[in-house]
Amino acid sequence: SGPAGLAELPLYLGLGALAGFEAIALARATNFFEKQWAKSLVPIAFRPAIAGAVCGIVGVACPQVLFNGYATLNTILADNQPPATLTLLLYAAVKIATTASSRSSGLVGGLFAPSLFLGGCGGCAYGQFVAWLFGNDALNLLHVAQPPAYASVGAASVLAAVVKAPLTASMLLFELTRDYDVILPLVASTGVATIVLELFQDPILPRSRALSNDVLPIDSLDDTFVADFVPTPPHNDHVSGADGSVDDDFD
C-alpha cells in the first residue's frame, strides 16, 4: 500500500535523513578506498582484478549483494518474505564496502543500481521498524504504509542524494508507480536526503582520482566555464583583394 497521508509525512522526512546518511557512508567509503589505493604499491592495472576477486569472495558468502537481476530488490519491493531488519542493514553495509572498493579500484560500473539497492534495503528496514512501532497495540496511533512503500521511496532518496538530483529521482519513481499519493512524501524524502548530504559530506569523488596519485580538490572546476576551453578565433582585419592588397572596408 502507498503512503497513508499527511500524518505520516514526518516519518518520510526521517527516511530521507537515513537515506542521506547512507549516501554519506558510500561517499566516505569510496574516498577512503581511493586514498588506500593511492598509498598502495599495487600497480594500477592490477587494482581492478584484486577488487573483483574480493567482490567474488564476498559474493560467495553473501550473494544477495551482487545485485544479479535485481532479485533482492524485487523481493523487498514485492514484500515477498523480505529479510529481517538486521539482515537488511547488513546487506547495505556489505554493499557499501564492495561498491566503494570496486569503484575506487577503477572497475567499470556506476552508482545507479547500488543506490537503489542501498535505498531499498535501508527503506525496508526503516519501514519494518515503523510498522513495528506504530503497529503495536499499545501504540496504535497511526496507520502507516507497508515496508515496500518505504523501500521504494528510500531507493529514490539515496539515488537523489548520490547524484544530487532530487527532482529527477522523484520523477523516475513516479513514472514507475504512477501513484499520485507518493509524490509529496517522495519529494520530501529526496529533498531531505540531498540536504543531509550537502550539510555533512562532499559528493562522491570522480573515478579519475582512483587512477592517479595526483589529488585534485573536489571543487577545482567550480569557477571554470566552458568558454575557458574555447579558443579565441584569430582576428582578421580584412580579406585580401585579388591583387594581394588588404581592403580598408568591406563595402
Side-chain angles (χ1 to χ4, degrees):
S1 60
L6 291 177
E8 196 179 357
L9 185 60
L11 298 178
Y12 284 94
L13 298 179
L15 175 60
L18 174 63
F21 285 113
E22 282 188 290
I24 289 173
L26 179 59
R28 291 186 175 179
T30 302
N31 296 346
F32 170 79
F33 280 108
E34 286 184 344
K35 292 177 181 178
Q36 299 309 309
W37 283 121
K39 295 177 182 178
S40 70
L41 300 178
V42 179
I44 293 177
F46 292 100
R47 295 176 187 177
I50 295 175
V54 171
C55 288
I57 295 173
V58 173
V60 172
C62 187
Q64 292 83 357
V65 302
L66 292 180
F67 219 68
N68 184 18
Y70 293 80
T72 304
L73 186 60
N74 289 337
T75 299
I76 293 173
L77 296 179
D79 202 18
N80 183 17
Q81 297 181 344
T85 302
L86 293 180
T87 303
L88 290 168
L89 296 178
L90 175 63
Y91 288 168
V94 174
K95 188 65 174 179
I96 288 174
T98 54
T99 300
S101 61
S102 299
R103 180 176 173 81
S104 60
S105 70
L107 277 174
V108 177
L111 294 171
F112 182 81
S115 298
L116 296 180
F117 184 90
L118 291 176
C121 289
C124 186
Y126 182 85
Q128 290 175 351
F129 172 75
V130 168
W132 170 81
L133 180 64
F134 291 96
N136 191 301
D137 292 337
L139 295 174
N140 192 14
L141 304 176
L142 177 67
H143 174 71
V144 296
Q146 295 299 313
Y150 285 94
S152 60
V153 175
S157 299
V158 173
L159 177 63
V162 169
V163 302
K164 301 177 67 175
L167 292 180
T168 299
S170 300
M171 291 305 299
L172 284 174
L173 183 60
F174 174 71
E175 287 291 331
L176 292 175
T177 60
R178 296 286 182 173
D179 185 2
Y180 289 98
D181 292 335
V182 80
I183 293 179
L184 182 58
L186 180 60
V187 172
S189 181
T190 55
V192 170
T194 305
I195 291 174
V196 168
L197 185 72
E198 289 283 350
L199 291 176
F200 295 101
Q201 175 67 43
D202 289 332
I204 294 178
L205 301 180
R207 179 189 302 278
S208 58
R209 286 191 54 182
L211 304 179
S212 173
N213 291 327
D214 298 329
V215 179
L216 299 176
I218 196 169
D219 57 350
S220 58
L221 297 178
D222 284 352
D223 298 325
T224 304
F225 301 93
V226 175
D228 297 333
F229 297 94
V230 178
T232 303
H235 179 70
N236 296 327
D237 292 334
H238 297 294
V239 180
S240 298
D243 58 354
S245 62
V246 179
D247 298 334
D248 292 333
D249 52 53
F250 292 105
D251 298 334

